[in-house]
Each structure stands twice: as C-alpha cells, then as structure tokens.
Amino acid sequence: EERQNLLAREVDHRAKNALALAQSIVRLTRASEVKDYVQAVEGRISALARVHTILSLSNWQGAEIGRLVEEEIAPYSTGEQIEYLGAELQLQPATAQTLALALHELVTNSAKYGALSTLAGRLKITWELHSDAMQLTWEESGGPPVEKPVSRGFGTRSVIASIETQL
C-alpha cells in the first residue's frame, strides 16, 4: 500500500509537470496565423510526447541520447539527408526533456529555413563526452544562405532559456 501511494504521488507529480510544460507552450507560442500557431503547438507537444514515451519505457530512469535524437528528427527524416552518431549516453529525465524540445526546435527551423528546406541540404548531428560534459554539434550544409533573423521567435528563445537554466 505504501508503494502504491508512492507511485501514485510520482505519477501525479509527473503529470503536473507535463501539463505545466504543455500550458507554457500554449501560452508562450506566437504566430501570425492560427494555422501556424496550431502547427507550432502540436509540434512542441508531440516532441514532449515522444520523450515521455522513451522515458516511460525506462521507468523514468533516463533516455539514451541516440534514441532521443532519432525520435525527434524522425518527422523530418527523408532519404539520406540526416546523419547522426555519437557515444552511447544515458540522459537524466529532465535533461532528456530539455534536449528533446531543443532538438525539435532546431530540426523544425532547419526544415523551414535551413538545410532540410532543400533536397540538396544535409544535416549532421554528433555528440561526444568531454570529462563531465557532453558536446552536441549541429551542422547543416547545402541549404539556403543563412540570414540573421530580425527577431528571435519563441522556439529560439525557449531553447536558449531552457539550455541556460536547465542544462
């Protein structure tokens, strides 16, 4: 009975965290048209759902980074445009959630404005361990010329903020 109570509290805690994240996504997402807003919110919540599935399969012990990268790029992975590789590494749940949202924003931007917006474009994602830190490299090539954006969107702002505060 004590174990069931503990598990019930843990499920409640995780559900509240997931709902708070979803609520912040809905509240903070901006778009000029309803269609764009819906698409952005659905994509971000889908990214959370994918990482939640990975974490639940491990009983919330963590997520293997290769699987996380694979799941987050899957909606955009067609043909041979995307390559990813790195050391096997188990991420803590909070780190996995933050990284999942960051990967989602990066791959979405690549599909809209970067290398994945053209057939000739290529994306290479690599990661490696350096003592107690992980370095992830995101390299796009063959896409349109890069232009500095006029302003930072929600995705960019949220990626930067979550990485700086949570990682």
Side-chain angles (χ1 to χ4, degrees):
E1 190 174 307
E2 283 180 32
R3 180 167 165 70
Q4 284 180 327
N5 287 334
L6 176 66
L7 290 173
R9 285 194 307 273
E10 184 66 25
V11 167
D12 182 53
H13 174 72
R14 290 204 176 116
K16 285 179 182 174
N17 284 347
L19 290 171
L21 274 170
Q23 185 178 35
S24 69
I25 287 169
V26 170
R27 189 179 335 108
L28 298 173
T29 298
R30 302 283 181 261
S32 57
E33 295 183 22
V34 172
K35 181 184 123 205
D36 295 335
Y37 173 82
V38 169
Q39 185 178 15
V41 169
E42 285 179 345
R44 291 171 181 146
I45 290 176
S46 292
L48 283 176
R50 286 188 294 271
V51 71
H52 183 90
T53 298
I54 292 169
L55 289 168
S56 67
L57 290 172
S58 74
N59 293 320
W60 284 79
Q61 297 302 304
E64 203 284 311
I65 187 171
R67 174 111 189 259
L68 181 69
V69 169
E70 180 179 22
E71 288 291 324
E72 291 306 326
I73 64 170
Y76 302 93
S77 188
T78 58
E80 302 293 318
Q81 280 188 286
I82 303 175
E83 174 186 357
Y84 60 94
L85 66 123
E88 189 171 312
L89 174 64
Q90 196 76 1
L91 302 173
Q92 294 294 321
T95 302
Q97 288 180 318
T98 300
L99 187 57
L101 285 173
L103 290 168
H104 169 76
E105 295 300 330
L106 289 169
V107 75
T108 300
N109 284 346
S110 180
K112 287 181 180 177
Y113 315 111
L116 297 180
S117 69
T118 67
L119 291 175
R122 299 289 178 263
L123 169 60
K124 183 175 183 180
I125 307 166
T126 58
W127 59 91
E128 56 189 354
L129 293 174
H130 296 284
S131 61
D132 65 344
M134 178 191 76
Q135 178 180 335
L136 186 132
T137 304
W138 183 278
E139 183 180 346
E140 296 187 38
S141 60
V146 176
E147 295 179 23
K148 186 175 182 174
V150 177
S151 64
R152 289 182 175 167
F154 168 80
T156 302
R157 288 192 321 269
S158 68
V159 166
I160 291 169
S162 64
I163 288 172
E164 287 175 345
T165 60
Q166 297 177 22
L167 300 180

